[in-house]
Amino acid sequence: NILNVSSTPLINDENLTDFEPLMAFTYASFAKDNLYIQYTKDNQDEIYLIYAVGFYDYLYDSDYSYNDKEKLTKYINDVRENSIYDYEIDVNSDDDLIVLKTCTRYFGATEKQSFTINARKLRKNEEIVKYKVTTNKLFDELLNNSKKG
């Protein structure tokens, strides 16, 4: 994410060829309009509902086991608590999950952070609906910190 070195990340630049556009999720209007991830696997489109978006220390490494339901539940709760948005979507350890992750220098050129988007797969017989997304205290803190820099 070499081009995004500030709290106003580029999101529509032709030079952004990898996961750099994920930083658009730092804009509340974008997050509210983009609730899903479409992932194609074995020529099948799969839809995932986003339930958490957040920043982490670059060296953060979890010891979560994706085969252990208790640890997976803890992971889900942790990323929801660290999310800059509150998503009105149910998620649990029985869901199929996907995590998109990119490095970022959102907090400055010398800062090393990871930015993650967490989502769960659309459940069998579940319909795609627009669900509510609201900013929260972490988003407000993020916004205030970015204005100071």
Side-chain angles (χ1 to χ4, degrees):
N1 214 338
I2 195 139
L3 298 177
N4 284 322
V5 293
S6 75
S7 59
T8 53
L10 302 168
I11 58 173
N12 291 320
D13 186 294
E14 64 185 33
N15 296 313
L16 303 177
T17 59
D18 294 313
F19 271 15
E20 297 97 346
L22 288 180
M23 295 307 297
F25 280 95
T26 61
Y27 298 105
S29 60
F30 184 89
K32 290 176 183 181
D33 288 340
N34 294 275
L35 304 175
Y36 314 100
I37 297 168
Q38 179 177 321
Y39 177 67
T40 304
K41 179 180 174 186
D42 299 326
N43 292 322
Q44 294 291 322
D45 291 335
E46 298 177 348
I47 303 296
Y48 288 78
L49 291 72
I50 297 169
Y51 69 89
V53 172
F55 288 90
Y56 296 87
D57 182 77
Y58 186 73
L59 298 176
Y60 172 79
D61 187 23
S62 67
D63 64 350
Y64 299 106
S65 167
Y66 295 102
N67 295 320
D68 182 317
K69 286 190 182 274
E70 187 175 311
K71 288 183 179 181
L72 190 53
T73 297
K74 181 175 177 3
Y75 173 80
I76 291 166
N77 292 336
D78 287 351
V79 297
R80 288 190 99 155
E81 285 179 25
N82 191 63
S83 181
I84 59 177
Y85 304 107
D86 293 328
Y87 287 89
E88 197 173 80
I89 193 77
D90 178 56
V91 60
N92 62 60
S93 62
D94 291 323
D95 288 313
D96 290 330
L97 306 178
I98 190 170
V99 179
L100 304 179
K101 182 177 179 179
T102 188
C103 58
T104 182
R105 295 183 290 166
Y106 182 91
F107 300 102
T110 60
E111 295 294 321
K112 293 181 179 177
Q113 296 282 315
S114 293
F115 186 68
T116 65
I117 314 296
N118 288 268
R120 68 134 170 106
K121 190 174 177 180
L122 190 69
R123 295 171 180 154
K124 187 176 181 178
N125 299 322
E126 181 179 25
E127 294 192 25
I128 298 172
V129 296
K130 186 165 183 166
Y131 51 95
K132 190 173 179 181
V133 178
T134 55
T135 59
N136 61 29
K137 179 182 170 187
L138 291 177
F139 180 86
D140 294 339
E141 290 172 5
L142 181 70
L143 193 61
N144 287 334
N145 286 337
S146 67
K147 287 180 181 177
K148 291 178 187 175

